[in-house]
Amino acid sequence: MRTFDTKVTFKTIKNDIRKSDSAIREAVANAIDAKSKNIYIYVYTEQDKGALLTHNYFCLDIADDGVGIPTQKEDFEKAFCRYKVSEKKEKTNYGRRGKGRYTYLTLTKSPDNVVIYIKKDNQVNKILFQCKDHENIKIFNETTSEQITTKIKQPYTTLIQFKDLSREQLNIDEENIENYIDEIKNEIISFFADRIASKSINIYVNNDLIKIEQYTEKVIKDHKVTVENEDLSYTFIVDFYIWNDQVKLKSDRQKHVLFFDDKNILKAISPS
């Protein structure tokens, strides 16, 4: 087992990460940055039976088929353990702030309830966290042969499991599976609509593939837009999507103009 000291405390994380910073959104963004084609999200209930009471709680599994987190010591420390330092350089990457992955620790009632599995190079690595308010967060990275239990039955490289979800972090008024699913789907569609519309990524929530058509009132396809820039002229073919009432856009939604080539490959991104 390798232990990594992040030189940042859990108290710092809680103070620095805003309520609008979504762990689910970060997990999906990281999966897309890792070249995933399929992302699987599954929310479900579990229970612990005590001597006097039975504790029922909600859990969440997020898996993807991307390249995965590098697990070798130096690469892992650079890519995963440093706070507010990012190895992501491409403009099309969602994450470049170096703190998004730490939102994972705020999604459950205790950061000890987060575990990550990485399947790479014919081995499985298990990543755990140790967090106390006034002590540096420690990250444990070990190879494991344990049997992984998950609701996701598709092949994956990375699996993140959240046990005992914090209702407050997900803005759930009443805890039930339907409310969790609706909130997660709305989070996904309002932030990753461009990827879903371009069909460059498949995102499933409890085995249901999210489709752009489920959330649009009107679609205007192949609209030609010409942009003049000094002595040059650029012409783009633009698709417009007008949301229906199912979509509840959030105030912190990052709006971008994305440019795809004729093979549907993202070439550039700029603020709208």
Side-chain angles (χ1 to χ4, degrees):
M1 178 189 293
R2 296 193 179 106
T3 305
F4 300 86
D5 188 335
T6 63
K7 297 181 174 60
V8 62
T9 67
F10 187 49
K11 185 176 182 180
T12 301
I13 299 293
K14 290 190 292 185
N15 291 336
D16 196 28
I17 292 176
R18 299 169 298 170
K19 185 158 184 166
S20 59
D21 290 327
S22 161
I24 295 171
R25 188 173 70 206
E26 290 292 344
V28 172
N30 286 337
I32 294 174
D33 287 346
K35 314 300 183 189
S36 301
K37 295 298 181 185
N38 299 284
I39 299 172
Y40 308 97
I41 302 171
Y42 208 102
V43 59
Y44 55 98
T45 57
E46 291 283 2
Q47 63 176 216
D48 289 333
K49 294 183 178 179
L52 299 176
L53 296 172
T54 297
H55 173 50
N56 297 296
Y57 52 89
F58 288 84
C59 299
L60 182 70
D61 288 3
I62 303 178
D64 69 78
D65 58 3
V67 297
I69 301 166
T71 54
Q72 294 303 312
K73 183 179 184 300
E74 275 191 30
D75 293 335
F76 177 76
E77 192 165 20
K78 282 183 181 178
F80 195 82
C81 299
R82 295 183 296 174
Y83 188 59
K84 290 190 176 179
V85 178
S86 176
E87 292 292 296
K88 296 178 181 179
K89 307 300 181 186
E90 297 179 28
K91 289 184 178 180
T92 53
N93 285 148
Y94 280 103
R96 291 193 299 276
R97 297 180 301 162
K99 71 173 187 176
R101 54 193 170 274
Y102 289 96
T103 61
Y104 300 166
L105 304 179
T106 66
L107 186 58
T108 65
K109 294 177 181 175
S110 168
D112 300 333
N113 290 333
V114 180
V115 60
I116 303 173
Y117 294 97
I118 312 294
K119 292 183 176 181
K120 288 184 72 172
D121 304 323
N122 297 316
Q123 72 177 32
V124 179
N125 279 63
K126 181 179 181 180
I127 300 169
L128 298 167
F129 302 86
Q130 184 182 88
C131 305
K132 297 179 181 178
D133 276 2
H134 299 285
E135 296 179 13
N136 290 351
I137 296 171
K138 293 187 184 300
I139 300 177
F140 304 97
N141 180 359
E142 63 180 358
T143 58
T144 181
S145 58
E146 71 180 60
Q147 184 71 32
I148 302 172
T149 302
T150 176
K151 299 291 184 180
I152 295 168
K153 305 306 179 186
Q154 303 298 326
Y156 62 83
T157 305
T158 302
L159 170 67
I160 312 171
Q161 294 191 309
F162 303 92
K163 176 182 175 181
D164 204 358
L165 299 175
S166 168
R167 183 176 70 183
E168 292 75 17
Q169 287 295 321
L170 284 166
N171 298 312
I172 302 294
D173 293 328
E174 182 181 343
E175 284 198 297
N176 56 58
I177 288 290
E178 290 74 20
N179 282 352
Y180 274 105
I181 290 174
D182 288 346
E183 180 64 23
I184 291 168
K185 283 184 173 180
N186 187 72
E187 179 77 30
I188 297 303
I189 197 65
S190 66
F191 199 84
F192 300 104
D194 50 292
R195 304 298 179 114
I196 295 169
S198 70
K199 295 184 169 57
S200 61
I201 191 78
N202 295 316
I203 303 178
Y204 300 82
V205 179
N206 283 48
N207 298 325
D208 183 23
L209 175 64
I210 297 180
K211 298 178 181 179
I212 197 75
E213 296 80 9
Q214 299 169 329
Y215 298 92
T216 51
E217 182 178 314
K218 187 177 181 180
V219 179
I220 303 171
K221 300 282 285 185
D222 299 330
H223 182 79
K224 186 177 288 188
V225 175
T226 301
V227 178
E228 303 291 340
N229 182 17
E230 297 180 355
D231 59 338
L232 297 175
S233 177
Y234 299 89
T235 299
F236 301 95
I237 303 300
V238 180
D239 297 340
F240 292 96
Y241 295 86
I242 301 172
W243 298 122
N244 60 26
D245 292 338
Q246 280 186 270
V247 178
K248 302 176 181 64
L249 290 176
K250 301 184 178 181
S251 58
D252 68 322
R253 169 68 168 97
Q254 294 182 18
K255 298 180 177 66
H256 290 99
V257 178
L258 295 106
F259 300 92
F260 294 84
D261 65 13
D262 56 359
K263 295 179 181 178
N264 236 2
I265 297 174
L266 185 65
K267 304 301 291 186
I269 184 170
S270 66
S272 59

